[in-house]
Amino acid sequence: MKYYSCLLAIVFSIVLIEALAQEYSNAYGKVIEYKNEQPYETVFVQPVKNNKVKNVILMIGDGMGLTQVSTAWVANHGRLNIDNFTHVGLSRTTAANRLITDSGASGTAMATGQKANYHSIGVDVDGNPLASITDLAIAKNLSTGIVVTCGITDATPATFCANNEDREMEEDIALNYLTCGVDFIFGGGRNQFIHRQDNRNLMDEMKNMGYQVESFWDKVSSIQKGKVFALLEDGQLPLYPERGDVFKDACMKAISILDQNKNGFFALLEGSRIDDCGHWNDIPKLMNEMIDFDQTIGKVLEWAEDDGNTLVVVLADHETGGLTLLDGDISDGLIKISYSTGGHSGILVPVYAYGPKSEMFDGMYENTEVFERIVKILKLK
Ligand SMILES: [Zn+2]
């Protein structure tokens, strides 16, 4: 009997070791090379002298840690539009109940100023709904916008518009868009609005609420004013470059419409799919997403330089993939990298600020401070 249980233990151990070895032999630790032959031109903007903030544009690179920025910088031959930022801080991303956050808890911290539990959306640790920056901005008669490349019921955009203890409840989160009052809403995720358990057609309901509801970019591009609800896909938008310049164009369209409000605006612009590429440990796809996000940053910075009263904050909600830059060559855009996880990591993430009051984002702080500082700057409380 003793002999058999001993044998069983040995066999079980071998199976377990093999299973673990398989899991870790995927891409983790393996050195992967990538080379970008065609760097893009970056813009150069002057620091803004003015001190009055009318608008805040918050740009989130989902899963965009310092290594994602550093690798993109080397791959683009030593330059990025991000280089223009005059003030830089570091944000701690922990969730209320876990060291390693998800986009729900981190988005909630930045959108509402309170640390939240893993997977929760716009609620406190007891499940009570919290007011977000967008809620406070709407109450002060500012215009608001959300532009993302994922579904709008995905975690990050949801934290600025919805309240739910579970990010998976996407059909319920969709209902929150009927009442949140955001003026310009753009992304994917039509399924949660038209293919629902309750058979409601929320696209029609949004139209009845006065939104210009569109499913094609050509239609969105010709809109000049008013409320916009545009979902171009059933699920997420395709990756860059397959989706073309639609993220850049949608961001600039949102800004041009929101800027018509003399009280100012708050806009959330998210490079949502940087995170997916981290989860897949796919460096070519990641570099493409970083290019699209950084080029959009270039366009936004040029607009903000010209405007003079807009604060632009670019940051991440967490890092994804445990990406490491091991070697490379700035002169030809070669990078040698490795990944250490298919999930998120717990490292501090960068916060870049440009424009009036940008100095307020210097230092090292919890991600809840993103909310606190924007609310203070826009005098939302
Ligand atoms: Zn995320």
Side-chain angles (χ1 to χ4, degrees):
M1 189 63 207
K2 208 171 174 185
Y3 169 79
Y4 283 112
S5 51
C6 191
L7 193 69
L8 205 66
I10 290 169
V11 170
F12 181 73
S13 305
I14 289 169
V15 170
L16 187 72
I17 287 164
E18 286 223 327
L20 284 175
Q22 283 227 320
E23 189 180 331
Y24 286 101
S25 69
N26 286 338
Y28 307 147
K30 200 172 90 185
V31 181
I32 305 162
E33 282 191 22
Y34 170 87
K35 195 169 169 183
N36 176 21
E37 310 277 0
Q38 289 171 311
Y40 56 89
E41 290 296 321
T42 54
V43 304
F44 179 76
V45 294
Q46 298 285 348
V48 171
K49 297 264 161 48
N50 202 328
N51 208 25
K52 191 180 174 308
V53 179
K54 187 178 155 203
N55 317 305
V56 172
I57 300 174
L58 179 64
M59 300 181 72
I60 301 181
D62 200 313
M64 186 187 75
L66 269 176
T67 354
Q68 280 75 6
V69 178
S70 305
T71 48
W73 184 83
V74 177
N76 201 46
H77 300 216
R79 56 183 194 237
L80 285 178
N81 290 313
I82 285 181
D83 297 345
N84 282 293
F85 284 87
T86 44
H87 291 275
V88 181
L90 290 168
S91 156
R92 294 191 195 94
T93 66
T94 56
N97 59 349
R98 285 204 200 185
L99 180 70
I100 309 297
T101 191
D102 79 308
S103 298
S106 186
T108 300
M110 297 189 288
T112 73
Q114 290 208 33
K115 287 283 185 181
N117 284 337
Y118 195 76
H119 273 209
S120 62
I121 301 291
V123 294
D124 67 16
V125 292
D126 300 315
N128 302 307
L130 296 164
S132 70
I133 297 176
T134 40
D135 294 323
L136 299 178
I138 291 164
K140 290 276 181 180
N141 296 316
L142 272 68
S143 289
T144 53
I146 293 178
V147 178
V148 297
T149 53
C150 57
I152 61 164
T153 54
D154 279 357
T156 310
T159 58
F160 287 81
C161 232
N163 313 97
N164 205 300
E165 278 186 281
D166 182 4
R167 63 181 281 176
E168 303 295 330
M169 305 296 285
E170 291 193 46
E171 289 194 7
D172 290 342
I173 289 168
L175 289 170
N176 289 151
Y177 277 90
L178 292 171
T179 50
C180 76
V182 171
D183 301 288
F184 191 105
I185 301 167
F186 176 96
R190 255 189 329 242
N191 272 336
Q192 279 69 35
F193 290 81
I194 50 175
H195 300 129
R196 300 173 51 83
Q197 303 274 2
D198 60 13
N199 290 319
R200 284 169 69 173
N201 184 326
L202 304 189
M203 300 285 278
D204 285 349
E205 292 185 35
M206 290 301 281
K207 200 177 283 177
N208 294 338
M209 306 218 26
Y211 282 87
Q212 299 164 84
V213 175
E214 302 295 350
S215 297
F216 297 97
W217 171 249
D218 285 351
K219 291 283 179 70
V220 185
S221 70
S222 61
I223 297 174
Q224 300 302 327
K225 59 180 181 185
K227 285 165 114 52
V228 176
F229 186 77
L231 303 187
L232 302 199
E233 298 284 337
D234 287 345
Q236 309 198 70
L237 266 56
L239 294 169
Y240 186 79
E242 194 192 331
R243 67 172 173 263
D245 287 326
V246 73
F247 178 62
K248 289 182 203 78
D249 293 344
C251 289
M252 299 320 292
K253 173 59 75 175
I255 289 169
S256 74
I257 293 178
L258 298 174
D259 189 44
Q260 294 165 11
N261 183 342
K262 61 178 179 8
N263 299 322
F265 69 84
F266 169 78
L268 165 71
L269 316 175
E270 190 196 35
S272 319
R273 307 214 56 192
I274 294 167
D275 177 67
D276 294 307
C277 304
H279 285 293
W280 301 326
N281 289 184
D282 191 321
I283 194 72
K285 288 192 172 84
L286 173 70
M287 289 299 100
N288 285 338
E289 283 297 320
M290 285 298 299
I291 286 169
D292 189 40
F293 193 55
D294 186 63
Q295 288 184 340
T296 306
I297 289 169
K299 295 256 184 248
V300 169
L301 285 178
E302 283 184 318
W303 185 90
E305 177 192 37
D306 188 47
D307 178 71
N309 293 116
T310 300
L311 168 69
V312 182
V313 180
V314 175
L315 49 69
D317 52 352
H318 54 77
E319 193 275 345
T320 307
L323 182 62
T324 307
L325 178 58
L326 298 165
D327 200 359
D329 192 335
I330 295 167
S331 67
D332 65 0
L334 172 76
I335 50 171
K336 296 182 182 183
I337 60 98
S338 74
Y339 283 99
S340 61
T341 175
H344 299 167
S345 74
I347 194 166
L348 291 155
V349 291
V351 182
Y352 303 96
Y354 170 87
K357 304 283 186 203
S358 51
E359 68 280 359
M360 280 183 66
F361 288 86
D362 289 348
M364 191 158 51
Y365 37 83
E366 296 296 332
N367 50 4
T368 49
E369 278 295 312
V370 175
F371 168 89
E372 297 295 346
R373 291 173 195 200
I374 291 174
V375 162
K376 195 168 175 188
I377 288 166
L378 283 175
K379 302 184 177 71
L380 296 182
K381 270 190 189 167

